Amino acid sequence: MVTEAIWLDNGLLRLGFLPALGGRLLSLRHEGVEVLWRNPRLLDDELRPVGGHRFAPNSGEMGDWVNYGGDKTWPAPQGWSGAHEWPGPPDPVLDSGPYTAAVDGLSITLASGHDPHTGLRLTRRFTLHPKDSGYCLDLTATNSGAHPVRWSLWNVTQLPAGTVHIGLTGHPEPRVRDLITTTHPVEHRIDGDLVTVPSQATVGKLGFPGSAGWVTHHGRRSLTQRFTVDSAAEYPDGGSPLEVWLESPLPEPIAALGNLNPPDEIVECEILGPLTTLAPGASTGLRIEVSVADPA
């Protein structure tokens, strides 16, 4: 198991990975400025454990999740009602298990082990562009089991508090869905084909069935993710190729969410691929183009 950080650098972006922690991207620095949210109680700036913390697969309910932060890939739909749903995080294989890592120039390929619950093996390939502040993320889910399975790829990028802009198309209503509400609904504004989700103290999630295939988070830097939406495909959560989750610390854990206890003000930009039935040995993929710029 590779427990040390692996770094890719093109002179403009510096990416730091910990294969031991679910193949996570845990640092994305643009001209020295960190873009992602990373849990400082668990990892320092060089991605070393803090205060004697040890890396290990993690399971239990959501309140037991060891949230390191960064960018990771999960299967969707999420849920706890049966084998057709992924009951994480936490998860001891795809979320917190060790991934293999292979570096080739400005690319790194991270691969999970076989997950007996979903029947999947996940692969994450990051390729830094040589002359600009961007990279390509290619995700693959392969049925490594003996029976057909049906899942969606689900990439989750955790960022510090900030404003999020989402592009919409002329998708039939609703173009935006309230998926999870705890303290109060997530505030947002729709202006034509643009949604603005301002920074706010709440815990909840919006889904975007009308996603045009891009989302931008404005924080210490502006991070834009672009992806292809298949208008003919089925997506989880009421047809949402894109979701935005917000969380803020609360006086006590959220019992309705498995005693989740948010550690910070965090924004998650979540991109999903189509729900796909996979025969044994078959794969599905999702490509995300990521660019970073100075704040607008």
Side-chain angles (χ1 to χ4, degrees):
M1 180 173 70
V2 180
T3 58
E4 297 81 17
I6 297 174
W7 299 87
L8 297 182
D9 193 325
N10 69 355
L12 295 170
L13 290 184
R14 180 170 168 82
L15 278 60
F17 304 87
L18 275 177
L21 303 180
R24 278 171 168 75
L25 169 68
L26 278 160
S27 182
L28 170 56
R29 298 178 193 169
H30 177 252
E31 298 177 340
V33 176
E34 181 61 61
V35 178
L36 301 177
W37 178 80
R38 182 178 63 254
N39 195 330
R41 304 163 192 84
L42 300 174
L43 297 168
D44 66 15
D45 288 346
E46 297 306 311
L47 309 187
R48 296 172 300 213
V50 171
H53 177 72
R54 295 190 177 187
F55 301 153
N58 175 228
S59 59
E61 63 178 11
M62 290 187 76
D64 300 312
W65 184 36
V66 181
N67 184 1
Y68 293 98
D71 179 287
K72 72 286 296 175
T73 303
W74 297 331
Q78 179 187 42
W80 293 264
S81 66
H84 65 291
E85 295 178 325
W86 181 67
D91 168 282
V93 180
L94 301 179
D95 173 64
S96 61
Y99 280 45
T100 61
V103 177
D104 179 12
L106 290 178
S107 295
I108 183 171
T109 301
L110 303 146
S112 77
H114 167 71
D115 174 39
H117 177 84
T118 62
L120 296 178
R121 188 183 306 274
L122 300 182
T123 302
R124 317 181 74 219
R125 181 174 175 83
F126 292 80
T127 303
L128 262 176
H129 301 324
K131 296 181 180 179
D132 64 42
S133 298
Y135 63 88
C136 179
L137 172 55
D138 285 300
L139 307 175
T140 306
T142 300
N143 181 353
S144 53
H147 306 285
V149 297
R150 184 171 173 81
W151 295 103
S152 164
L153 281 160
W154 176 22
N155 202 69
V156 177
T157 306
Q158 290 187 309
L159 300 144
T163 298
V164 180
H165 287 144
I166 299 103
L168 298 178
T169 66
H171 187 281
E173 296 291 344
R175 296 196 292 171
V176 181
R177 289 183 179 273
D178 286 306
L179 295 179
I180 298 175
T181 298
T182 55
T183 51
H184 57 77
V186 176
E187 299 174 11
H188 62 285
R189 182 176 69 254
I190 303 176
D191 298 306
D193 289 337
L194 180 70
V195 182
T196 301
V197 182
S199 180
Q200 57 196 281
T202 191
V203 178
K205 178 181 276 195
L206 296 174
F208 300 90
S211 169
W214 67 267
V215 55
T216 299
H217 173 272
H218 302 280
R220 294 183 288 254
R221 290 291 191 267
S222 292
L223 179 121
T224 298
Q225 301 182 73
R226 299 184 183 276
F227 53 98
T228 298
V229 176
D230 184 348
S231 60
E234 180 185 355
Y235 287 85
D237 298 337
S240 300
L242 174 68
E243 300 174 0
V244 172
W245 162 268
L246 303 179
E247 64 178 62
S248 301
L250 296 171
E252 58 186 27
I254 306 168
L257 294 178
N259 292 312
L260 178 70
N261 193 15
D264 260 323
E265 291 195 358
I266 301 169
V267 177
E268 291 182 358
C269 294
E270 307 179 357
I271 296 168
L272 295 95
L275 278 163
T276 305
T277 299
L278 300 172
S283 298
T284 184
L286 175 63
R287 170 168 286 187
I288 303 170
E289 289 285 351
V290 182
S291 60
V292 184
D294 291 332

